[in-house]
Amino acid sequence: MFRAMKKVVVVTGASSGIGLALCERLLSEDDGLHLCLACRNLGKAEAARVALLSSHPRAEITLLQIDVSNLQSVFQASRELKQRFEHLDYLYVNAGIMPNPQLNLKALFSGLFSRKVFHMFSTAEGLLTQDDRVTTDGLQEVFETNVFGHFILIRELEPLLCHPDIPSQVIWTSSSNAKKSNFSLDDFQHAKGHEPYSSSKYATDLLSLALNRNFNQQGLYSSVVCPGTVLTNLTYGILPPFIWTLLTPLIFLLRFFVNSLTTTPYNGAEALLWLFRQKPEFLNPLTKYHSATTGLGSNYVSPQKMDLDEETAEKFYQNLLDLERRFGAIRARSLDSPSQK
């Protein structure tokens, strides 16, 4: 087991995109920390580890296999972390999916020639719908991947995160696309809707607020971040390559007017890194921290108040606790299975 001699940071979805850029920036900030890459694909995770070590050869980087869309995997990974560590300083819950995104071309082109063009590129509001599916756990895939799998991970890691004398931070990669209008307590998995990604990100904002209410006194603090509009594998899948080629000059021009167009994973990780430097007890739980980039390429953090209320957040949290009880058998089986090597 690793002793709490150095900061321990776990990042889910660390093998590419914003997660990998965050890891690079964290090591540039403090290469004395212990960085754990928690990824579904260990091959990609090992490639990321090699790349990080090439620029930070003294860094201590370990791997953990976890698929947050599969609860048995989450329970097994949680057990492994509890065997390795006594305390976690930072848990970046970054892994997420936007499956089969479909672009509303009519909304795109009408928005391009309207006064809403800046808002459209800032939030993608009304532009994207997704086809969701059900996982082997019987849950909506976007909800389980983006919200519930991470919720279970946090619940299982409470012994490592809850130390009143040593604060821990849980930091969520949320989105400006987290819209209250797309979320319902009566359908919090968004099984009946067509914007599960937006719903899931609003759900993470609610959950973060509830975690602060329930765990701040135990030393666990939660924050949410919007990385801005970043061109990653997730966003490149929305449009054919030739469309991106046509849009790229426009995107860089719009950066002079829309600072949420961070475009690169490095820029998108700005707010995630900024939170690494903060004392969590002084952060506002109703604030979302947005990565922003000026037209000339300078990065900064823009705090913005979220459209949340504590009553809804607490009700959602209790709904998740009720849902958690359904999976006690899976948890029990994971405790009986061999641990990762």
Side-chain angles (χ1 to χ4, degrees):
M1 179 180 286
F2 295 102
R3 299 293 174 183
M5 297 292 291
K6 54 177 65 177
K7 291 179 181 177
V8 178
V9 183
V10 176
V11 182
T12 69
S15 62
S16 63
I18 293 168
L20 180 57
L22 169 65
C23 291
E24 173 64 40
R25 296 193 66 176
L26 285 170
L27 291 174
S28 296
E29 183 85 6
D30 180 4
D31 65 359
L33 54 78
H34 183 115
L35 181 62
C36 178
L37 313 183
C39 306
R40 181 178 59 180
N41 186 316
L42 278 184
K44 292 182 179 179
E46 177 58 28
R49 178 177 178 273
V50 170
L52 291 168
L53 286 172
S54 68
S55 54
H56 303 279
R58 296 192 306 159
E60 188 172 4
I61 306 172
T62 55
L63 307 181
L64 176 77
Q65 186 169 27
I66 182 172
D67 179 356
V68 285
S69 69
N70 182 292
L71 293 183
Q72 182 165 349
S73 173
V74 174
F75 286 126
Q76 289 175 342
S78 303
R79 183 179 65 166
E80 179 67 24
L81 286 171
K82 285 184 282 191
Q83 290 173 346
R84 292 186 195 181
F85 304 111
E86 295 178 336
H87 174 73
L88 297 183
D89 296 278
Y90 301 87
L91 174 60
Y92 282 93
V93 280
N94 168 74
I97 59 168
M98 183 195 291
N100 306 310
Q102 298 168 358
L103 182 69
N104 185 333
L105 288 174
K106 181 180 178 181
L108 172 64
F109 285 107
S110 63
L112 284 174
F113 302 102
S114 75
R115 288 177 295 179
K116 295 182 178 180
V117 61
F118 299 144
H119 177 77
M120 180 182 71
F121 275 97
S122 298
T123 66
E125 185 175 349
L127 289 183
L128 299 174
T129 60
Q130 303 92 40
D131 290 330
D132 207 354
R133 63 181 182 181
V134 176
T135 67
T136 55
D137 293 317
L139 302 172
Q140 295 299 126
E141 184 180 33
V142 176
F143 165 77
E144 182 167 9
T145 305
N146 295 2
V147 186
F148 193 62
H150 281 129
F151 169 73
I152 294 297
L153 179 65
I154 294 166
R155 289 277 293 159
E156 290 294 305
L157 295 180
E158 283 180 22
L160 304 187
L161 293 167
C162 295
H163 294 266
D165 54 330
I166 313 174
S168 295
Q169 284 185 262
V170 173
I171 302 171
W172 301 80
T173 301
S174 182
S175 171
S176 59
N177 191 236
K179 297 299 176 185
K180 186 176 184 177
S181 58
N182 288 324
F183 178 83
S184 167
L185 278 174
D186 295 329
D187 182 27
F188 57 81
Q189 293 193 47
H190 205 73
K192 301 174 183 176
H194 299 286
E195 296 191 50
Y197 181 80
S198 174
S199 174
S200 73
K201 292 305 179 180
Y202 190 80
T204 63
D205 295 351
L206 287 171
L207 179 52
S208 180
L209 181 60
L211 289 173
N212 281 309
R213 181 176 179 177
N214 286 277
F215 289 100
N216 278 178
Q217 291 187 341
Q218 299 177 51
L220 187 159
Y221 294 84
S222 181
S223 300
V224 287
V225 162
C226 172
T229 303
V230 178
L231 302 182
T232 64
N233 292 335
L234 186 148
T235 47
Y236 278 126
I238 297 170
L239 293 170
F242 78 93
I243 296 289
W244 282 118
T245 302
L246 294 174
L247 286 177
T248 298
L250 175 62
I251 289 172
F252 277 89
L253 177 63
L254 283 171
R255 279 177 58 178
F256 286 92
F257 306 95
V258 184
N259 288 354
S260 61
L261 288 174
T262 48
T263 67
T264 69
Y266 180 93
N267 294 344
E270 182 71 19
L272 294 161
L273 179 67
W274 182 84
L275 284 169
F276 177 77
R277 302 168 177 154
Q278 308 308 308
K279 291 185 179 297
E281 55 268 34
F282 297 120
L283 298 171
N284 187 338
L286 285 169
T287 296
K288 180 178 291 184
Y289 300 93
H290 293 246
S291 297
T293 305
T294 67
L296 297 177
S298 298
N299 294 322
Y300 65 98
V301 175
S302 174
Q304 297 179 25
K305 189 176 186 300
M306 293 186 284
D307 183 17
L308 303 174
D309 69 85
E310 291 198 10
E311 183 180 357
T312 303
E314 187 61 28
K315 287 180 179 178
F316 178 54
Y317 179 71
Q318 293 301 323
N319 286 341
L320 294 182
L321 291 177
D322 291 340
L323 185 60
E324 177 188 22
R325 296 185 186 101
R326 286 175 39 188
F327 297 98
I330 293 177
R331 184 180 187 274
R333 287 198 301 272
S334 72
L335 294 176
D336 293 334
S337 62
S339 61
Q340 299 180 30
K341 300 297 183 184

